[in-house]
Amino acid sequence: MTSSDLLLYTDAQFVSPYAMSVFVALHEKDLPFRVETVDLAQRAHRRPDFAGALLTQRVPVLVHGDFALSESSAITEYLDDVFDGPRLYPADRRRRALARQVQAWLRSDFLSIRSERPTEVVFCRAVKAPLSDAARDAAGKLFATADALLASGASDLFGEWCIADLDLALMLNRLALHGDAMPERLADYARHQWQRPAVRRWIALERS
């Protein structure tokens, strides 16, 4: 199988942070791929022709020949394992483990931020109510941990870009792009990450 066999299923509105992560990863690896959209609002991900071959019935899904894989961090790790090109994860084993830790942390925590600052805020400029006390507490935890992870003067988490930088920047931009208060150092970091060409390609996608 070659990279020409790659097909990415993403949400039809292009607001899934997890689909974005895989889309950016494919571009960072400079891999040719096709995109097909799935209308989650119409429950298209539950259709037998889509869901029958998958375990999770969620997007994103990467199809590589006769192999289908869901869950974004599993997909990006697979891309790094299978294909040459720029790395998505640090080469150093401990830094690579830390990058995976950051990804898992962002996916399992911060429910209040994800609920009150959905990605429609980021990609469609939706305006939401002020943060609740729970979300403000979560934001404080996010800022403190991100500040500890990011070395002084660094523009990337581990000395060079990795896919965890995108995931952290997206979580920060849920707040920054809505106008919520944030330490300037972290806002600068998120702005810097948002300028990568692969990220700009996702942002430029047409949304309904």
Side-chain angles (χ1 to χ4, degrees), residues 28 150 153-157 159-162 165-166 169-170 172-173 176-177 184-200 203:
E28 292 284 350
L150 192 64
S155 56
D156 303 298
L157 285 171
E160 58 183 347
W161 183 88
C162 72
D165 282 298
L166 170 67
L170 178 55
L172 291 169
N173 272 331
L177 294 178
E184 190 60 28
R185 185 168 95 97
L186 299 182
D188 287 344
Y189 163 80
R191 280 192 293 269
H192 172 77
Q193 296 297 327
W194 230 233
Q195 297 309 309
R196 292 187 72 84
V199 174
R200 302 309 300 177
I203 293 170

Side-chain angles (χ1 to χ4, degrees), residues 65-181:
D66 60 356
F67 178 64
L69 185 66
S70 59
E71 300 305 314
S72 59
S73 60
I75 295 171
T76 54
E77 289 182 34
Y78 175 78
L79 292 173
D80 236 11
D81 288 342
V82 171
F83 296 105
D84 295 330
R87 294 194 61 89
L88 301 173
Y89 293 89
D92 177 82
R93 290 181 179 179
R94 290 190 174 183
R95 289 185 173 185
R96 187 162 66 247
L98 287 170
R100 290 168 173 164
Q101 173 184 275
V102 169
Q103 286 189 296
W105 168 61
L106 293 169
R107 284 159 171 73
S108 62
D109 206 340
F110 306 113
L111 177 59
S112 57
I113 295 177
R114 286 185 276 125
S115 174
E116 297 180 34
R117 295 294 181 266
T119 46
E120 286 80 2
V121 164
V122 177
F123 303 120
C124 306
R125 298 295 181 172
V127 178
K128 301 293 181 179
L131 293 172
S132 67
D133 289 344
R136 284 196 297 273
D137 287 346
K141 175 184 174 182
L142 172 66
F143 300 156
T145 306
D147 188 69
L149 285 167
L150 192 64
S152 177
S155 56
D156 303 298
L157 285 171
F158 304 110
E160 58 183 347
W161 183 88
C162 72
I163 195 66
D165 282 298
L166 170 67
D167 293 337
L168 179 57
L170 178 55
M171 184 61 74
L172 291 169
N173 272 331
R174 290 174 184 267
L175 301 162
L177 294 178
H178 189 266
D180 298 304

